[in-house]
Amino acid sequence: MAALLLSLIALAPLIAIAVIAFQSSGDAWPHLIDNVLPGAVRRTVGLMLGVGLLTLIIGTGTAWLVTMYRFPGRRYFQWLLLLPMAMPTYIIAYCYLELFDYSGMVQTGMRGLFGWRNAQDYWFPDIRSLSGAIFVMSAVLYPYVYITARASFIAQSVCVIEASRTLGRSASETFWQIALPLARPALAAGVALALMETLNDIGAVEFFGVRTLTVAVYDTWLDRGSLAGASQIACVMLAFVFALLLIERALRAGRRFHHTTGKYRDLPEDKLTGMRGILAVLACVLPLIVGFVLPAGVLVDDAIAHVSAGLSPAFWQAALHSLLLAFAAAVLAVAFAVVLAYGRRQTRSKLVRGASLVPAISYAIPGTVLAIGLLIPLAGLDNSIDGVMRSLFGVSTGLLFSGTAFAIVLAYTIRFLAASLGAVEAGLSKISKNIDAAGRTLGATVSDMLWTVHLPLLRPALGAAAMLVFVDSMKELPATLLLRPFNFDTLSTQVFTLASLYRYEEAGLSALTIVLVSLAPVLLLHGIIARSRPGASASRPSGARSRPEWALRIS
């Protein structure tokens, strides 16, 4: 029952959006159809196509190079290529605006060097454009494809690759004809994740002036004051999400590839020397420079140059808000994940097993859509409590949920529940069900087993799940913008506000703090991928807590 209740909580925003969308929006919807939706849909599709293609090329190419070839610096590029993942899209967007906008460092330096007076004296590519948004967002989203592609390449069979080479295929032919088709499910999953992040983004597209569906939802709700119209646009975004999930499933086409032997050998690695080695290094260096080194340099420079302004009371208050919200969301998401995963483990009910899959859909919901879906149920709950308290005690309780930080924590929990659930289920899958049977035989209840055996064994998985949710919550911008109370800032909203006011330098310290916090799971991911080849030994978690006699007998 607890698992079903939590699944219903995760599903409530979708139900609320559908209910609101069927309400009358007056003349807002005809106006949106005629003037807003066509352009927003066109720009959203163009952005997703461009980002999907670039992330696929960069992520797959670099993953194949560092997996199958030896060249100078290869061992460092294996984890350095993950670093752009720590850079949120809205942060890298404002960094590149500070670099390449008309008033940015590069164009200002060019005008001073060559004596140009205005933009009519020279040509420079406009960073505030759809192509600029595609380029910059691809630079930080390609690691989603890199992660899945490299994990797939590492796990591929040596026998298949050696057979291909024995039959006369070159290394490039083996890649195109063997490795790439085998990696298609992983590539489809990686591109789908990158596109979900693209659809969720509101900061980068706002800075670049690309009016996507996400921006249309934000403007319709806050600027036009039409919640029903915003919900109707949100339904269009949900159609994009479900279409994306269907396309990803179709590209995978139910294919699964696995080893047919219990013997595993290291993958063959060709050595690249001379010009080929230089080209391989350049292919790995360029994404790293564009996606991490340049923006990180801008952030460090801004943070040092404006450290006194950056360390203002507003920064410390925003940092405290971010830490508290992220910590609360991490604890709540891990608790939800334990209930869902343990319920799935302890029952054969198809209803419970199906309900535990709901969080996977929630992760695909953009933050703006999730914020709208949460606002109405929470506001209804607030009104109900206020009505009861007025009738019984004559006291108004006001906004207990929808107007407080609770709404933000719940939004974080629902949006990132899939990440924590995946980590917890992975940890539970390594615990033999024979332990459950032995414990029940020795008189332990299901709750006894959870508290005394499973949770101690799950501590590494719970820590990883909490860290993932914590970091994602620190970076989340769209849901925070729409649900935050008045005069309530986090580091992400502070960066967005300052950058929107063209006060880029003052946002440097806040942005750098988010990036530094985000580096932890990136380094953790490298270790997980490096040990992902079948046959690798897995570390055994151990629990240090004292256990009752029946638990010790199980051990």
Side-chain angles (χ1 to χ4, degrees):
M1 289 182 66
L4 292 175
L5 177 61
L6 296 182
S7 299
L8 183 61
I9 292 175
L11 196 60
L14 291 180
I15 300 173
I17 289 170
V19 172
I20 302 169
F22 280 106
Q23 297 177 358
S24 173
S25 58
D27 59 350
W29 183 240
H31 169 76
L32 293 173
I33 292 178
D34 293 337
N35 303 296
V36 177
L37 275 180
V41 169
R42 184 176 65 253
R43 287 184 287 269
T44 301
V45 171
L47 181 65
M48 293 176 70
L49 288 176
V51 171
L53 181 61
L54 269 183
T55 54
L56 179 63
I57 294 172
I58 299 172
T60 306
T62 52
W64 179 254
L65 282 174
V66 300
T67 303
M68 301 302 298
Y69 295 98
R70 284 182 293 159
F71 54 90
R74 194 277 300 263
R75 59 181 295 188
Y76 300 106
F77 287 127
Q78 289 178 348
W79 62 271
L80 286 174
L81 284 165
L82 290 169
L83 293 184
M85 199 173 186
M87 195 75 63
T89 52
Y90 56 90
I91 289 181
I92 194 176
Y94 103 72
C95 288
Y96 272 90
L97 284 177
E98 189 174 350
L99 281 173
F100 296 114
D101 202 15
Y102 178 77
S103 59
M105 302 176 186
V106 174
Q107 292 198 55
T108 301
M110 290 174 60
R111 289 194 296 271
L113 180 64
F114 297 105
W116 295 326
R117 296 184 178 180
N118 52 55
Q120 296 178 349
D121 295 338
Y122 65 99
W123 177 87
F124 196 85
D126 186 11
I127 193 70
R128 293 180 182 268
S129 62
L130 178 61
S131 57
I134 291 173
F135 171 76
V136 171
M137 293 179 72
S138 300
V140 292
L141 294 179
Y142 81 84
Y144 286 100
V145 183
Y146 171 82
I147 289 170
T148 57
R150 184 159 182 252
S152 176
F153 292 149
I154 288 176
Q156 286 185 4
S157 170
V158 176
C159 303
V160 174
I161 296 175
E162 288 181 343
S164 171
R165 301 301 296 272
T166 303
L167 292 172
R169 297 291 188 272
S170 64
S172 60
E173 289 174 334
T174 298
F175 170 74
W176 288 105
Q177 299 177 14
I178 304 297
L180 201 58
L182 289 175
R184 192 171 73 180
L187 298 181
V191 172
L193 287 172
L195 293 183
M196 288 175 190
E197 290 298 322
T198 303
L199 190 60
N200 177 63
D201 177 78
I202 192 174
V205 292
E206 178 76 17
F207 295 153
F208 288 129
V210 182
R211 315 299 290 180
T212 60
L213 287 169
T214 307
V215 179
V217 170
Y218 184 79
D219 289 345
T220 303
W221 183 1
L222 297 185
D223 293 343
R224 297 186 179 93
S226 176
L227 185 58
S231 299
Q232 288 157 354
I233 301 177
C235 287
V236 177
M237 294 185 67
L238 286 178
F240 270 78
V241 170
F242 288 116
L244 187 61
L245 294 175
L246 290 175
I247 292 172
E248 186 263 342
R249 182 173 292 273
L251 289 174
R252 288 192 290 114
R255 286 171 169 79
R256 290 185 177 89
F257 306 103
H258 56 85
H259 290 262
T260 57
T261 176
K263 298 180 179 179
Y264 302 93
R265 291 180 287 122
D266 292 334
L267 292 169
E269 297 175 352
D270 291 338
K271 188 174 183 179
L272 300 179
T273 57
M275 182 56 65
R276 296 174 67 196
I278 293 175
L279 291 176
V281 171
L282 286 176
C284 294
V285 164
L286 288 177
L288 180 62
I289 291 176
V290 174
F292 186 79
V293 176
L294 278 179
V298 171
L299 295 180
V300 171
D301 181 67
D302 287 346
I304 293 175
H306 300 82
V307 64
S308 58
L311 292 174
S312 62
F315 166 79
W316 293 111
Q317 189 175 39
L320 179 62
H321 290 164
S322 293
L323 290 173
L324 292 178
L325 292 176
F327 178 78
V331 172
L332 199 58
V334 169
F336 281 19
V338 169
V339 172
L340 288 169
Y342 202 63
R344 183 181 175 90
R345 179 185 177 95
Q346 295 295 335
T347 180
R348 295 182 180 180
S349 168
K350 292 183 179 180
L351 182 60
V352 173
R353 289 177 174 272
S356 65
L357 300 177
V358 171
I361 301 175
S362 300
Y363 181 75
I365 302 175
T368 48
V369 177
L370 183 62
I372 293 176
L374 277 177
L375 183 68
I376 296 304
L378 292 179
L381 182 60
D382 281 337
N383 291 333
S384 299
I385 296 175
D386 186 69
V388 171
M389 294 299 291
R390 282 176 181 272
S391 62
L392 293 180
F393 305 104
V395 177
S396 175
T397 57
L399 299 178
L400 296 176
F401 300 107
S402 58
T404 64
F406 174 82
I408 305 178
V409 173
L410 187 59
Y412 290 168
T413 302
I414 294 175
R415 173 142 168 71
F416 304 121
L417 181 55
S420 62
L421 181 60
V424 173
E425 285 188 331
L428 277 175
S429 67
K430 297 179 181 180
I431 301 176
S432 172
K433 289 192 175 182
N434 293 334
I435 292 181
D436 299 47
R440 299 302 299 275
T441 302
L442 293 170
T445 64
V446 173
S447 57
D448 289 336
M449 290 292 299
L450 173 64
W451 288 103
T452 314
V453 175
H454 290 104
L455 286 182
L457 293 175
L458 282 174
R459 276 187 299 180
L462 297 179
M467 183 175 64
L468 289 173
V469 176
F470 180 87
V471 173
D472 282 339
S473 300
M474 289 281 293
K475 297 190 295 182
E476 174 63 21
L477 176 64
T480 314
L481 273 177
L482 296 177
L483 292 174
R484 59 177 174 158
F486 291 110
N487 298 322
F488 186 94
D489 265 327
T490 64
L491 289 175
S492 60
T493 61
Q494 188 180 69
V495 170
F496 178 81
T497 302
L498 291 174
S500 300
L501 297 173
Y502 299 97
R503 295 160 60 184
Y504 300 125
E505 297 84 356
E506 297 177 41
L509 187 60
S510 300
L512 186 62
T513 303
I514 296 174
V515 172
L516 291 177
V517 172
S518 303
L519 285 175
V522 170
L523 300 178
L524 175 67
L525 275 175
H526 168 65
I528 294 173
I529 295 172
R531 296 190 299 269
S532 63
R533 178 154 179 80
S537 60
S539 61
R540 248 180 228 177
S542 59
R545 149 185 313 196
S546 60
R547 306 180 187 178
E549 183 180 355
W550 57 266
L552 295 174
R553 292 174 62 186
I554 291 176
S555 302

